[in-house]
Amino acid sequence: MVVLIKNCRVFSPEALGKTDVLVLGDKIAAVGPDLSADFNGKVPVDIIDGSGLIMIPGLIDNHVHILGGGGEGGFRTRTPEAVLTDFTLNGITTVCGLLGTDGVTRNMASLVAKTEALNEEGITAYCYTGSYHVPITTLTGSVMKDIMLIDRCIGVGEIALSDHRSSQPTYEELSRLVADARVGGMLAAKAGLVDIHMGGGPRGLTMICRLIHETEIPYSQVLPTHINRSRDLFSEGLDWIKEGGYIDLTAYGLGKPSSDVPAAEGFTRILDQDPAFDHVTMSSDGQGSLPKFNEKGDCIGLGVGSSATILENIKDAVRKGLPLEKVIKPVTSNIASLLKLKGKGRIAAGYDADLVLLDERSLDLVGLVAKGRILVRDTKAVVKGTFEI
Ligand code: FWO
Ligand code: ZN
């Protein structure tokens, strides 16, 4: 009910220095020095000594296959469903769940159920309606109704473009889909954002650019993801930011040689051209399949994404000299404002009490508070998913 974290180095994401944070219920009540919480012993107060620790806002992973995904190599390659500690032990307090290649054995009813389950278990979960395939398969029969009438549905995704697994939507189909998502979102005071899976195909961002250039739809309505999957696509992404667009990097596992642009390098190049660093987000593709295809398009290998890569890439970027207060923006305040997630993405009075405590030197996860509840304490999960042992 009441948590007081004393003497912690707080990044809200801005660097606030050493200060205290008071949590009442599921909200941050106050941020500032010398806070106390004494109710004459009538109310239990959980006091955490934050010395030697850094506090950042709970991380927001905007692209997670919470039901599991995959299947590109046949039924045995359908990837496993996420469990609560996949997120909490990696600093994630908010996720946006979605479907991918397989929009047949994975469906919106199950996605909404899993989204609700994660909210009941302790974090905040939203979802997108649809999957790779356009026209999208909705739950209520229309994109606008899904966004307006499903409480946790905040937009559409992930629809696939420039990819051999895409349904090859026409420009007209894409523009109608984005237009419906926009108006549905507007009518429900939600972002109505369309999360767009970018494949490695030569058409790149052309259809998205055409849509924004030829219609009245604003840049903030679409978020091309996996933008760092190739150097060519990433260069298009840099140009897209330059003209006002938003891009989402996938937080790849470190150390494996591949064609992608690692987040640390991507962030550096974005900061060079846009010091404000407001138009970039990052997501894990957690539980999504990471398939490898040969030149004939046959699946020759398959990995599984993990939400752990978000914090790993934050650490890597800081190790390479990027400032922490910048590096956490793509997974806190930037994505919270793009997705219009009220109360999310910042450490300030009135915001949701989603807080992550990291070791000051290693940036390893030490603690996590979600909606005011301590879910991780002294690096251990003190709250687990329903069937986690
Ligand atoms: C990416 C999710 C891809 C699923 O291109 O899009 O396949 O449905 O689970 N994953 N298709 C992974 C690359 C960005 C590395 C997905 C996957
Ligand atoms: Zn994808």
Side-chain angles (χ1 to χ4, degrees), residues 3-11 16-22 30-36 46-55 357-360:
V3 180
L4 177 57
I5 301 160
K6 297 286 293 177
N7 205 21
C8 202
R9 259 180 78 211
V10 176
F11 291 83
L16 304 184
K18 275 190 183 295
T19 191
D20 303 343
V21 174
L22 175 65
V31 179
D34 310 325
L35 295 183
S36 64
D46 215 325
I47 299 183
I48 296 177
D49 175 9
S51 36
L53 300 180
I54 277 176
M55 184 192 291
L357 294 173
L358 304 172
D359 176 277
E360 200 165 23

Side-chain angles (χ1 to χ4, degrees), residues 162 198-209 224 227-228 230-243 245-247 269 273:
S162 306
M198 295 311 303
R203 287 168 294 177
L205 295 177
T206 39
M207 208 190 272
I208 295 176
C209 294
I227 201 75
N228 54 325
S230 77
R231 298 198 161 272
D232 291 348
L233 185 62
F234 187 70
S235 305
E236 283 190 71
L238 287 175
D239 294 340
W240 186 238
I241 285 187
K242 223 174 261 169
E243 64 171 276
Y246 294 80
I247 60 173
R269 291 168 62 185
Q273 77 168 31

Side-chain angles (χ1 to χ4, degrees), residues 249-273:
L249 277 76
T250 297
Y252 290 103
L254 300 171
K256 287 194 287 297
S258 57
S259 60
D260 58 73
V261 177
E265 178 191 337
F267 285 169
T268 304
R269 291 168 62 185
I270 295 167
L271 271 166
D272 287 348
Q273 77 168 31

